[in-house]
Amino acid sequence: HARLPNAAAVAGPARREEASRFMNASARFAALEKRADLLRRLREFFHQRGFLEVETPLVADEVIPELHIEPLRLDNGQFLQASPELHMKRLLAAGAKAIFQVTRSFRAAERGKLHNPEFTIVEWYRVGDDMQAGIELVDKMMQALLDTPPAARTTYAEAFERHAGINPHTASLAELAAMLEAPAGMNHADRDEWLNLILATRIEPQLGRDRPEILYYYPATQAALARTTTSPTGYEVAERFELYYRGVELANGYHELSDAVEQRRRFEAVNAARVADGRPALPIPERLLAAMQSGLPDCTGCALGFDRLAMLASGATSIDDVMTFPSSRV
């Protein structure tokens, strides 16, 4: 039988807008159509470069312990995944060469113009890539999807010197604290907390105003799951990079750490910091560490917030405008 058209579809733009309001959806159909086209072209970008699209669990017994990300825990003790990283790295250790995924991710207590507790993440890894190759790939992706000029490439130190007038690698704790007022509950003795606050308030709004901008060589204390190295200027830094466009952070990438012993040490340090902050420690992801021990190949990975990308592509001012049902309307 022929499928009858939806009444809203044949009644023109006004009726479709009415249907959108009736469904309690925040995104207009034009924005959803643009989002769908962006997603199609993103998949084409990776397929043309030989990446395999994969799917990994949304729910698992383990999660990546992170200090500034709070996972959502289910009543049965399992976790909704904050990113697919844990399982994608296990695939790499099992022999995958170039993989990408478009999936839902979940993070507690995140809500605002750029945040929703449930969101769409794009994550990819390619064996053999170093940090510069990872930067080049995300730059090419932005050019292909948003028709941007090539990205500016700026070290973390250059961004701080340009927009805050300090060297983040050598500034004392007192010098950092003198730059702004700390919010309630902040650990005043934590140097990285001050750097993150300065980055968020003084620097990020200035990044990528006219073209994408990629920050790289973060302090080694902010390496997370990235390798560390010595920068050309002599500082110990993380081989980590972040993509900004029009003041919005879009992606975070690492030349991935492959040392299971060092990764365990970092996870334990994160849990110690969580406990000191009054939050529970998270299970150490033993399956991931076992996979790393068996041999995680040299690779670079990157995670991108697709809702933010869709927001910038459509000129929206909030991700609510490019999501069908944000958390306030579910």
Side-chain angles (χ1 to χ4, degrees):
H1 297 282
R3 184 181 177 189
L4 294 176
N6 182 287
V10 299
R15 185 64 179 274
R16 289 199 297 271
E17 188 69 15
E18 180 183 355
S20 177
R21 289 195 299 270
F22 177 76
M23 291 191 309
N24 204 22
S26 68
R28 298 182 180 182
F29 282 104
L32 296 184
E33 289 166 355
K34 193 171 187 68
R35 178 189 174 109
D37 179 66
L38 187 67
L39 183 57
R40 176 189 59 79
R41 291 189 293 113
L42 180 140
R43 282 192 161 102
E44 286 178 355
F45 176 85
F46 285 109
H47 290 150
Q48 289 168 0
R49 288 160 177 79
F51 280 74
L52 174 68
E53 184 169 5
V54 299
E55 295 177 299
T56 59
L58 295 179
V59 178
D61 296 330
E62 297 178 338
V63 70
I64 299 286
E66 299 190 69
L67 183 59
H68 299 293
I69 293 177
E70 201 61 37
L72 285 165
R73 193 164 197 164
L74 303 177
D75 291 342
N76 64 2
Q78 291 185 305
F79 294 93
L80 289 168
Q81 295 298 293
S83 91
E85 177 173 6
L86 188 156
H87 294 96
M88 292 184 78
K89 284 185 173 177
R90 288 170 61 184
L91 286 175
L92 292 168
K97 301 300 183 185
I99 54 177
F100 83 101
Q101 181 168 188
V102 181
T103 189
R104 308 296 278 182
S105 289
F106 305 85
R107 298 178 185 180
E110 292 200 4
R111 188 70 182 102
K113 287 187 176 182
L114 299 176
H115 297 89
N116 196 67
E118 178 183 357
F119 61 99
T120 299
I121 195 170
V122 184
E123 191 149 335
W124 63 91
Y125 297 84
R126 187 162 61 183
V127 172
D129 280 2
D130 60 10
M131 184 185 69
Q132 292 302 328
I135 289 173
E136 182 69 16
L137 183 62
V138 75
D139 188 3
K140 293 294 187 185
M141 186 193 70
M142 288 295 288
Q143 293 176 51
L145 297 182
L146 297 192
D147 195 26
T148 63
R153 303 182 185 191
T154 307
T155 68
Y156 185 93
E158 288 169 345
F160 269 75
E161 289 163 353
R162 184 178 305 153
H163 301 296
I166 59 168
N167 183 325
H169 299 296
T170 61
S172 68
L173 189 65
E175 288 172 324
L176 297 177
M179 295 198 64
L180 37 74
E181 185 176 348
M186 177 177 159
N187 181 356
H188 290 219
D190 189 325
R191 219 174 157 277
D192 282 318
E193 284 291 311
W194 284 109
L195 289 173
N196 288 335
L197 184 61
I198 295 167
L199 179 67
T201 58
R202 297 283 185 90
I203 298 170
E204 285 183 346
Q206 311 301 323
L207 298 178
R209 284 188 164 185
D210 301 318
R211 57 175 173 157
E213 188 166 359
I214 298 172
L215 240 57
Y216 66 100
Y217 280 160
Y218 281 64
T221 51
Q222 299 179 25
L225 285 82
R227 299 177 184 227
T228 58
T229 189
T230 302
S231 73
T233 51
Y235 300 110
E236 187 182 6
V237 293
E239 291 191 90
R240 169 184 171 187
F241 57 95
E242 294 198 2
L243 167 68
Y244 291 87
Y245 190 36
R246 296 174 183 166
V248 175
E249 180 195 348
L250 285 173
N252 185 27
Y254 302 142
H255 185 196
E256 302 291 344
L257 179 67
S258 60
D259 183 337
V261 174
E262 170 61 14
Q263 190 62 77
R264 181 184 293 277
R265 186 197 68 77
R266 293 187 193 179
F267 285 154
E268 291 173 346
V270 166
N271 271 337
R274 288 177 60 88
V275 171
D277 193 38
R279 292 177 291 155
L282 295 168
I284 298 295
E286 296 292 348
R287 292 186 183 94
L288 170 61
L289 292 175
M292 292 177 68
Q293 188 68 46
S294 71
L296 180 67
D298 187 17
C299 63
T300 289
C302 191
L304 177 140
F306 183 75
D307 307 291
R308 295 183 182 183
L309 186 71
M311 183 186 84
L312 292 175
S314 64
T317 57
S318 169
I319 62 171
D320 285 14
D321 298 331
V322 295
M323 301 177 76
T324 49
F325 296 100
S327 63
S328 60
R329 299 189 178 185
V330 296

